[in-house]
Amino acid sequence: MSQNPDKLNSSEEQLSGLEDDQEESLDNLDQSVRKRIRQSAPGSHRDETPKSSPSRPVSIEELMETAKGVTNMALAHEIVVNGDFQIKPAELPEHSLEKKVRDIVHKAFWDCLEAQLKDDPPTYDHAIKLLGEIKESLLSFLLPGHTRLRSQITEVLDLDLIKQEAENGALDISKLVKFVIGMMGTLCAPARDEDIKKLKDINEIVPLFRAIFSVLDLMKMDMANFAVSSIRPKLMQQSAEYERKKFQEFLEKQPNSLDLVTKWLQEAADDLAKLGHDVLPPHCGDGATGGASALCFIAIQNQAYLKLLKWDHMNRPFPETVLMDQTRFLEIQLELEQLLVVGTVLLVTFSAAGPALIDVPGFAEKIKSIVKVLLTGMHLPSFNLKESLATVGEKVCAEVNSCLSQHGFTPFSAEREAVLKGQIQAVASPDNSICKLIDSRIQKFLENYLASSHQKSLPAIPGGLGPIQRELEEIAAKYIRLVNYNRMVFSPYYDAVLGKILTKEKSQIVGKSEES
């Protein structure tokens, strides 16, 4: 029983109700977007907002329409950037009032059905209504060309005929349910084969009806997820323009919606200026035009994207144009912070062990695995990094001594062990020089990765990062995907903001030169 695409409704038809079906699962995302957008309104840079209208009163209807547009944009964005995106059934909290009310209503309905079927003679009003709902569900799984299956369902589940049979005492519910289960088995995805098999083992009619509706709900979920996966390639082609259009609509209603972006890009430009003119392309601050201007913009944007990996998410609002990816950028930031500690511990360990263990097969992976396990949850408030690194030092020293002994080398003396443990514990210090070195090399690698993101070959891994190369490249790949997609959507806004920033800086430089 396989799920052939021909058995499914078209992706467009299935997706037409997707936004409503997914509304609850995206509720937190929607609330977060609206909250952050409200926070993103200091009103301090309105004169620098590209393509926006003057501030004006906004009606409740316009605000609601805007919120809906943000939600739709967030949903489309989620489908495109999250390859694992799936629609899941809403689950109410275990002891919530909604769950209690729902359970009471459902129990009352099924108790009523059971009482009707136990009447003498049985009453089939509720049962016939359920069969009608099942019929509609089965028909919804069919394509227009499935005439034979449609005819079978319509003929067997003919409600008028079923009512006549019920009135004459000739209705065979078991026969109808058996047909329903067989049809469900024909239309379901392979993942539901086991659920269909379990239906055949249920003998009581009321529990069987309940189980049938549960499996039908799962089949509808499978159908919606199939529709999502089918339209993703098409949606990816159009989503950049769609998001840009929706953001522009929002910008026209909230003209200060680029304030945080302006501040973010201004800081990136200032950072590059502080680092020296060798970091920026030639003539970047001299009113560059054409290709030179494009290089300036790209250099500043790259610096801005790097700043997102050092963001203070607790105390500072995220720029508006990257807001929908804030969770992803935060996840990458946390992964890099953990990888920084792992890389520093590995570098300290190999420096202490010397060349004896560097080439031992599997040794680096074993040490890395130990450190990762002991650093699990390092970003939780209850996590104590110093205590964990003390444990890491003990485990690493034991593993180093064991490996040295196995390969005929002299194990560490107590003094060398104490030195290595102290170096590992020192990684917890924000001023640790080795940690700063590894961090700067990770940032340099990501910077080079950004600069070469359109090239096939990856930038070389800086010295000292070899043991964490695989993890670093995996994180970098996720990061670059986010950056490239964001740049594709919002580059016109970035160019407009940066054009004003660089023009303003040029006018300031000219003014100072005239004064002197």
Side-chain angles (χ1 to χ4, degrees), residues 210-482:
R210 296 188 69 166
I212 284 173
F213 275 96
S214 295
V215 176
L216 283 173
D217 286 342
L218 294 175
M219 290 174 63
K220 291 175 184 177
M221 207 69 62
D222 295 337
M223 184 76 70
N225 285 323
F226 177 81
V228 168
S229 63
S230 298
I231 82 157
R232 182 176 283 117
K234 182 179 179 181
L235 184 61
M236 189 171 291
Q237 296 170 3
Q238 300 177 352
S239 61
E241 287 150 15
Y242 174 73
E243 287 190 41
R244 195 181 306 119
K245 175 186 174 185
K246 287 296 180 183
F247 185 80
Q248 180 61 32
E249 291 173 1
F250 179 77
L251 186 60
E252 289 169 357
K253 292 182 174 64
Q254 299 288 326
N256 58 346
S257 296
L258 282 172
D259 288 354
L260 296 177
V261 169
T262 302
K263 184 177 180 182
W264 169 51
L265 294 175
Q266 179 69 66
E267 290 176 0
D270 294 343
D271 288 347
L272 289 184
K274 291 175 185 177
L275 291 172
H277 290 291
D278 56 317
V279 178
L280 287 169
H283 311 297
C284 197
D286 304 331
T289 57
S293 176
L295 289 175
C296 294
F297 291 174
I298 291 173
I300 296 173
Q301 286 177 33
N302 287 349
Q303 177 64 20
Y305 285 122
L306 288 173
K307 288 177 70 67
L308 297 179
L309 300 178
K310 298 287 186 180
W311 203 265
D312 183 2
H313 293 265
M314 295 297 293
N315 300 308
R316 187 178 178 189
F318 221 50
E320 298 91 344
T321 53
V322 286
L323 188 58
M324 285 191 293
D325 285 319
Q326 180 171 12
T327 301
R328 294 183 179 86
F329 279 110
L330 176 58
E331 288 174 356
I332 291 173
Q333 181 176 339
L334 298 181
E335 288 176 7
L336 286 173
E337 288 176 2
Q338 185 184 55
L339 192 62
L340 170 62
V341 177
V342 173
T344 305
V345 171
L346 290 172
L347 182 60
V348 167
T349 301
F350 283 119
S351 298
L357 300 182
I358 292 178
D359 297 325
V360 173
F363 176 73
E365 288 298 321
K366 193 166 188 180
I367 294 293
K368 186 163 48 176
S369 176
I370 291 171
V371 178
K372 280 183 177 180
V373 169
L374 293 175
L375 291 179
T376 301
M378 69 173 282
H379 296 99
L380 298 176
S382 59
F383 188 86
N384 190 312
L385 182 58
K386 289 185 178 180
E387 291 181 2
S388 297
L389 286 175
T391 306
V392 168
E394 295 286 345
K395 296 287 187 182
V396 167
C397 283
E399 194 62 39
V400 168
N401 282 332
S402 173
C403 191
L404 287 171
S405 299
Q406 288 178 10
H407 291 84
F409 299 104
T410 304
F412 279 5
S413 63
E415 292 79 8
R416 289 187 69 185
E417 277 194 30
V419 170
L420 178 55
K421 290 176 184 177
Q423 289 177 326
I424 290 175
Q425 284 183 272
V427 174
S429 171
D431 299 321
N432 184 269
S433 58
I434 301 176
C435 203
K436 285 184 174 181
L437 175 65
I438 295 295
D439 187 35
S440 67
R441 291 182 178 178
I442 289 176
Q443 293 298 312
K444 188 63 179 176
F445 173 75
L446 293 173
E447 180 184 338
N448 292 338
Y449 210 141
L450 276 175
S452 62
S453 60
H454 297 291
Q455 300 175 9
K456 292 184 178 180
S457 59
L458 299 179
I461 290 287
L465 302 185
I468 58 171
Q469 176 176 350
R470 176 171 53 83
E471 291 83 358
L472 183 56
E473 288 180 347
E474 289 174 356
I475 294 173
K478 289 193 296 184
Y479 173 61
I480 294 301
R481 279 198 299 271
L482 282 180

Side-chain angles (χ1 to χ4, degrees), residues 4 27 53 65 77 80 89-90 154 161 165 185 254 268 300 317 391 398 451 461 465 493 516:
N4 191 305
D27 187 51
S53 57
E65 187 64 28
H77 183 87
V80 170
T154 304
L161 179 60
E165 291 177 346
Q254 299 288 326
I300 296 173
T391 306
I461 290 287
L465 302 185
Y493 297 97
S516 61

